[in-house]
């Protein structure tokens, strides 16, 4: 089945940018979308401190806002955490979960990814669920097994309708922040495998779900990566911190 999926490009700013810098950056983004406005779905994930100001600065523009993480409880004594409802109120439409940096440094597991994904959906936010293998796992030939486990456990218990609201981000950990990008063939192979799993889990909805590639996406490789049949956009780290680079990547998603 060949379904036209709108390409989706999200900038994950990680722990970068003050409030003032964040607002200045998104104003440049909103002003520079040009032909991509309305044709490519675009979002940014600022640090939590800047989310509200960024959402206000982007009101009326085509650029959407995402959280970088979320906690699964609605409220309570969970020092340092934020709920999906709080993200929504601050202006988010999306929430990233399962990023490899959360898995590596902050104890994120497939089980917490699953709880966070469900919490985002319940609050009306669209989850971006990150998966991806470590270098040692790729070298041991375990890439597809790792991604299979992360997708199945991350999405466990969801209905097909809920799955339809989710974006998967395939981010091979060895490509993140390293300047080493997966080849288009490597990306397409894993993306196609992910879509097959999504089809097993949710049926036809899999054809409408976006699978982003992440890991050293730059203006000069974005177009080729996103031209692959199962690469439906990008989750961009470093290159999303500069408006001209991020805008060039977004425009690389245009036909
Ligand atoms: P880089 O684009 O800096 O490699 O980061 C990718 C990433 O982790 C996006 O979530």
């Amino acid at each position: 089945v060949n379904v036209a999926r709108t390409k989706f490009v999200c900038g994950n700013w990680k722990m970068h940018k003050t409030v003032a810098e964040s607002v200045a950056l998104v104003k440049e983004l909103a002003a520079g979308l040009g032909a991509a406005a309305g044709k490519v779905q675009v979002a940014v994930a600022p640090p939590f401190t800047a989310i509200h100001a960024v959402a206000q600065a982007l009101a009326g523009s085509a650029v959407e806002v995402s959280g970088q993480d979320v906690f699964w409880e609605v409220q309570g004594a969970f020092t340092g955490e934020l709920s999906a409802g709080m993200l929504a109120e601050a202006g988010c439409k999306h929430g990233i979960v399962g990023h490899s940096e959360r898995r590596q440094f902050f104890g994120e597991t497939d089980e917490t990814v699953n709880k966070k994904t469900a919490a985002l959906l319940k609050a009306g936010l669209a989850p971006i669920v990150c998966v991806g293998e470590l270098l040692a796992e790729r070298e041991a030939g375990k890439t597809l097994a790792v991604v299979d486990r992360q997708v199945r456990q991350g999405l466990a218990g969801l209905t097909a309708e809920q799955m339809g609201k989710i974006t998967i981000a395939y981010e091979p950990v060895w490509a993140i922040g390293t300047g080493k990008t997966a080849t288009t063939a490597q990306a397409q192979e894993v993306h196609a495998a992910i879509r097959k799993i999504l089809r097993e889990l949710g049926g036809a909805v899999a054809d409408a779900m976006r699978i982003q590639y992440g890991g050293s996406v730059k203006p000069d490789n974005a177009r080729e990566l996103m031209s692959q049949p199962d690469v439906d956009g990008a989750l961009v780290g470093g290159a999303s911190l500069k408006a001209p680079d991020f805008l060039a990547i977004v425009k690389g998603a245009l036909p």
Side-chain angles (χ1 to χ4, degrees), residues 47-59:
F48 287 137
T49 45
I51 282 176
H52 186 247
V54 160
Q56 298 226 309
L58 288 172

Side-chain angles (χ1 to χ4, degrees), residues 179-238:
K180 277 190 217 156
T181 318
T183 64
T184 50
Q186 284 173 326
Q188 171 57 27
E189 182 197 12
V190 179
H191 282 232
I194 291 172
R195 198 170 313 278
K196 193 159 164 265
I197 299 161
L198 296 175
R199 215 169 274 133
E200 283 176 33
L201 296 175
V205 75
D207 292 310
M209 291 175 69
R210 272 82 56 87
I211 307 174
Q212 295 173 323
Y213 170 80
S216 298
V217 175
K218 307 284 179 213
D220 64 5
N221 60 27
R223 175 171 292 278
E224 203 192 329
L225 283 161
M226 291 189 281
S227 71
Q228 298 299 301
D230 288 294
V231 180
D232 310 308
L235 187 56
V236 185

Side-chain angles (χ1 to χ4, degrees), residues 2-252:
N2 193 6
V3 176
R5 292 180 289 268
T6 302
K7 294 262 196 292
F8 179 22
V9 178
C10 181
N12 174 12
W13 296 359
K14 308 189 180 183
M15 199 171 75
H16 294 284
K17 303 284 179 193
T18 64
V19 176
E21 289 166 351
S22 298
V23 168
L25 175 53
V26 295
K27 282 185 176 164
E28 260 193 272
L29 295 180
L33 282 180
K39 297 216 174 74
V40 180
Q41 187 174 8
V42 182
V44 294
F48 287 137
T49 45
I51 282 176
H52 186 247
V54 160
Q56 298 226 309
L58 288 172
S61 91
V63 181
E64 300 170 340
V65 186
S66 175
Q68 296 181 13
D69 186 29
V70 67
F71 190 55
W72 56 81
E73 294 288 350
V74 172
Q75 61 175 27
F78 303 105
T79 300
E81 296 296 325
L82 295 172
S83 71
M86 289 170 173
L87 290 180
E89 192 218 4
C92 289
K93 288 214 156 56
H94 309 267
I96 298 171
V97 296
H99 193 280
S100 67
E101 288 147 21
R102 302 294 322 169
R103 294 179 192 261
Q104 186 182 351
F105 301 122
F106 304 102
E108 187 90 290
T109 64
D110 294 324
E111 193 189 349
T112 62
V113 170
N114 184 240
K115 288 180 173 177
K116 291 176 177 186
T117 301
L120 287 169
L121 289 166
K122 211 168 169 192
L125 294 178
I128 299 173
V129 179
C130 303
V131 300
E133 81 286 3
L134 305 170
L135 181 58
E137 292 166 337
R138 175 162 284 269
E139 286 174 344
K142 292 183 181 155
T143 297
L144 296 182
V146 167
V147 168
D148 185 276
R149 186 202 76 225
Q150 291 173 331
V151 171
R152 284 180 202 277
Q153 296 188 8
L155 273 49
L158 300 181
T159 64
E161 193 197 338
Q162 288 175 313
M163 282 178 60
K165 303 197 163 71
I166 291 174
T167 297
I168 303 290
Y170 169 57
E171 300 205 306
V173 179
W174 48 271
I176 295 176
T178 58
K180 277 190 217 156
T181 318
T183 64
T184 50
Q186 284 173 326
Q188 171 57 27
E189 182 197 12
V190 179
H191 282 232
I194 291 172
R195 198 170 313 278
K196 193 159 164 265
I197 299 161
L198 296 175
R199 215 169 274 133
E200 283 176 33
L201 296 175
V205 75
D207 292 310
M209 291 175 69
R210 272 82 56 87
I211 307 174
Q212 295 173 323
Y213 170 80
S216 298
V217 175
K218 307 284 179 213
D220 64 5
N221 60 27
R223 175 171 292 278
E224 203 192 329
L225 283 161
M226 291 189 281
S227 71
Q228 298 299 301
D230 288 294
V231 180
D232 310 308
L235 187 56
V236 185
S240 71
L241 298 173
K242 288 187 191 143
D245 287 2
F246 188 61
L247 287 169
I249 291 168
V250 167
K251 285 166 193 174

